[in-house]
Amino acid sequence: MNNKYWEEDIETMSREKLQELQLQRLKKTINIAANSPYYKKVFQEHNITADSIQNLEDIRKIPFTTKADMRATYPFGLVSGNMQEDGVRIHSSSGTTGTPTLIVHSQHDLDSWANLVARCLYMVGIRKTDVFQNSSGYGMFTGGLGFQYGAERLGALTVPAAAGNSKRQIKFITDFKTTALHAIPSYAIRLAEVIQEEGIDPTSTSLKTLVIGAEPHTDEQRKKIERMLGVKAYNSFGMTEMNGPGVAFECQEQNGMHFWEDCYLVEIIDPDPDGEIGELVLTTLDREMMPLLRYRTRDLTRILPGECPCGRTHLRIDRIKGRSDDMFIIKGVNIFPMQVEKILVQFPQLGSNYLITLETVNNQDEMIVEVELSDLSTDNYIELEKIRKEITRQLKDEILVTPKLKLVKKGSLPQSEGKAVRVKDLRQNH
């Protein structure tokens, strides 16, 4: 095995060979999908067979699959394989409301997924000699078992710490000499803060590599994590519908996430006026039990131009700008929480926890941004007011709306050890 690549032949395959492989796997996937009640009906209505697809562009003949379709066919209307014979695991989305989105896996699917996660971890320099600690929730959420099986496939010593209980996480890191950690970005910062509260220098631990993902974050937030913990932090992308983690991952260049095109076909639809950032649409190419075709992820990103110096030929996407369904509109302006975070993270006087509240006051929509102060903040009212005005000015320049900014004491906002809740919409008629 090459010491740079997990699977050199696949990772460095020429674009021409890669597209030939994609077309071959797409035709096979369509034949499999035709066995599901949902796709059988879709294919009949649109007169689609594997022979309809002569090139990759022909995928546009197939209608999109949406989260609403998955919920309408819950639980097993999209299953193509024989569940009694070959179904070995069910995962569902981490959403807390409504019908969950559900995926059924065969052993082939789980093996393929574990291999992709191992490929990702190997790409960022994690090896079988590492101690890999996973602070994801286990159970139905894919971040737990997804990283667990991938790290085991790699051969690393794994610590399935699961989510929360920061003091226990720190004890494990210290006692087991953990070198690699998987955590969502907001929790990684929280962990660094708790390490400091325990009287330990966060940069003095054995940690060297951090894998972050599961919630949108800015590059500024990533750099803050790296500074706080003294690690290299690599961005990861995944979702339950596409298996979970391991769909796309940064290499050591930290310049966009490589999308594993041997297993996924990538489209960007409805791009913005610049023709770049649009919604990510994905098709599985190596899943047997429950393939998904042209799935609308609602995640907003762009394909990065040019070749990567790492030598991998699989396309790279930019970090996720946000989700089309996370965007909120206030006073006619489209705003993503990450635009606010991009400004806040630049001020050392601020902590990492913030909350955007939208409410209606005297028939007018108002945007209130509460952000915790850090240990570096001052008690001097004049200084704090000066900082508040400067942050407000920069926020207005970024989002074109003047928010009401409140600087609050550290620890006064709700602290989440799962995905951070950043927006609370209390407006009338919302």
Side-chain angles (χ1 to χ4, degrees):
M1 186 185 291
N2 185 295
N3 63 4
K4 185 177 175 183
Y5 305 106
W6 179 247
E7 295 168 297
E8 185 173 5
D9 289 351
I10 291 174
E11 293 173 54
T12 61
M13 189 178 278
S14 72
R15 293 298 306 169
E16 186 184 3
K17 291 278 186 194
L18 197 49
Q19 286 166 359
E20 283 176 14
L21 178 62
Q22 285 186 308
L23 184 58
Q24 173 194 327
R25 287 188 168 184
L26 177 60
K27 285 172 169 281
K28 181 181 176 183
T29 297
I30 289 168
N31 279 328
I32 294 170
N35 295 314
S36 77
Y38 174 77
Y39 282 121
K40 183 177 183 179
K41 185 179 175 195
V42 168
F43 290 174
Q44 285 172 349
E45 287 172 358
H46 293 84
N47 197 25
I48 291 165
T49 65
D51 291 335
S52 314
I53 310 299
Q54 295 302 312
N55 54 59
L56 293 177
E57 286 69 39
D58 283 346
I59 196 170
R60 293 177 193 144
K61 295 176 181 177
I62 302 171
F64 295 117
T65 305
T66 65
K67 186 166 282 195
D69 295 326
M70 295 189 75
R71 286 176 169 160
T73 57
Y74 176 90
F76 304 129
L78 275 154
V79 172
S80 304
N82 184 325
M83 279 185 61
Q84 284 71 35
E85 290 288 327
D86 301 315
V88 295
R89 194 194 301 166
I90 293 174
H91 274 289
S92 72
S93 61
S94 56
T96 54
T97 58
T99 305
T101 51
L102 173 147
I103 296 293
V104 184
H105 295 279
S106 68
Q107 191 59 53
H108 165 89
D109 301 338
L110 293 181
D111 290 343
S112 172
W113 178 18
N115 185 65
L116 284 182
V117 175
R119 192 193 291 177
C120 294
L121 298 178
Y122 198 89
M123 179 166 63
V124 299
I126 298 172
R127 298 291 183 265
K128 65 185 300 178
T129 50
D130 279 286
V131 179
F132 181 87
Q133 185 164 323
N134 190 8
S135 70
S136 256
Y138 280 66
M140 300 302 275
F141 177 58
T142 57
L145 291 173
F147 273 110
Q148 180 69 31
Y149 278 71
E152 287 179 2
R153 174 67 61 93
L154 184 67
L157 180 62
T158 58
V159 183
N165 198 336
S166 300
K167 289 184 180 179
R168 188 184 64 164
Q169 299 278 357
I170 295 161
K171 180 172 175 55
F172 288 165
I173 289 168
T174 307
D175 293 353
F176 306 152
K177 300 288 183 279
T178 301
T179 54
L181 174 71
H182 170 242
I184 61 176
S186 54
Y187 185 59
I189 291 176
R190 177 66 190 141
L191 202 58
E193 290 171 347
V194 177
I195 292 173
Q196 212 161 18
E197 288 164 12
E198 292 291 294
I200 304 168
D201 175 2
T203 63
S204 70
T205 72
S206 50
L207 284 178
K208 290 182 177 57
T209 307
L210 198 67
V211 173
I212 52 178
E215 63 184 14
H217 60 283
T218 60
D219 201 42
E220 289 82 3
Q221 189 180 8
R222 182 249 290 276
K223 285 171 182 165
K224 182 176 182 179
I225 291 167
E226 290 186 327
R227 283 194 307 272
M228 290 178 83
L229 286 166
V231 296
K232 275 290 188 186
Y234 296 98
N235 196 4
S236 97
F237 172 81
M239 56 172 51
T240 302
E241 297 89 338
M242 291 296 120
N243 287 346
V247 180
F249 226 80
E250 279 185 321
C251 64
Q252 290 181 308
E253 297 292 327
Q254 292 182 302
N255 183 25
M257 294 177 283
H258 286 279
F259 230 104
W260 298 126
E261 294 182 88
D262 55 319
C263 294
Y264 303 99
L265 191 60
V266 181
E267 299 173 75
I268 301 287
I269 64 163
D270 300 333
D272 61 17
D274 296 331
E276 287 194 341
I277 291 176
E279 183 185 342
L280 184 64
V281 171
L282 298 175
T283 296
T284 62
L285 295 176
D286 192 32
R287 201 157 69 193
E288 294 180 345
M289 183 57 63
M290 193 172 161
L292 289 182
L293 303 170
R294 304 197 80 201
Y295 182 71
R296 294 191 63 160
T297 68
R298 301 294 177 191
D299 287 312
L300 301 172
T301 186
R302 67 184 177 115
I303 294 172
L304 293 174
E307 296 177 3
C308 185
C310 78
R312 291 174 181 85
T313 52
H314 296 238
L315 65 78
R316 291 167 299 134
I317 60 163
D318 209 346
R319 67 180 48 255
I320 303 299
K321 180 183 176 184
R323 290 178 58 82
S324 57
D325 46 8
D326 277 352
M327 181 187 79
F328 58 88
I329 302 173
I330 189 161
K331 298 181 180 176
V333 179
N334 296 353
I335 298 173
F336 292 94
M338 284 180 67
Q339 291 175 276
V340 174
E341 182 179 291
K342 187 171 88 174
I343 302 300
L344 299 181
V345 79
Q346 293 173 30
F347 289 84
Q349 301 91 341
L350 302 181
S352 57
N353 207 6
Y354 70 93
L355 179 67
I356 301 165
T357 303
L358 309 171
E359 58 186 25
T360 306
V361 181
N362 297 327
N363 298 315
Q364 293 286 318
D365 283 352
E366 294 286 345
M367 176 178 170
I368 299 104
V369 178
E370 295 173 278
V371 57
E372 290 182 1
L373 292 163
S374 74
D375 294 329
L376 300 171
S377 64
T378 173
D379 290 331
N380 185 310
Y381 174 79
I382 295 170
E383 280 295 310
L384 284 176
E385 187 58 17
K386 191 174 165 188
I387 293 164
R388 191 188 67 77
K389 284 182 177 175
E390 177 57 22
I391 297 167
T392 303
R393 184 191 68 76
Q394 289 197 29
L395 282 171
K396 185 186 177 186
D397 287 347
E398 171 67 27
I399 62 178
L400 309 178
V401 168
T402 305
K404 188 184 289 183
L405 183 69
K406 295 181 181 178
L407 304 179
V408 300
K409 284 183 181 177
K410 185 177 178 181
S412 59
L413 292 177
Q415 189 68 250
S416 171
E417 292 193 331
K419 291 185 184 181
V421 176
R422 296 304 191 195
V423 182
K424 199 161 60 170
D425 197 339
L426 306 176
R427 291 176 290 178
Q428 295 164 9
N429 304 318
H430 277 261

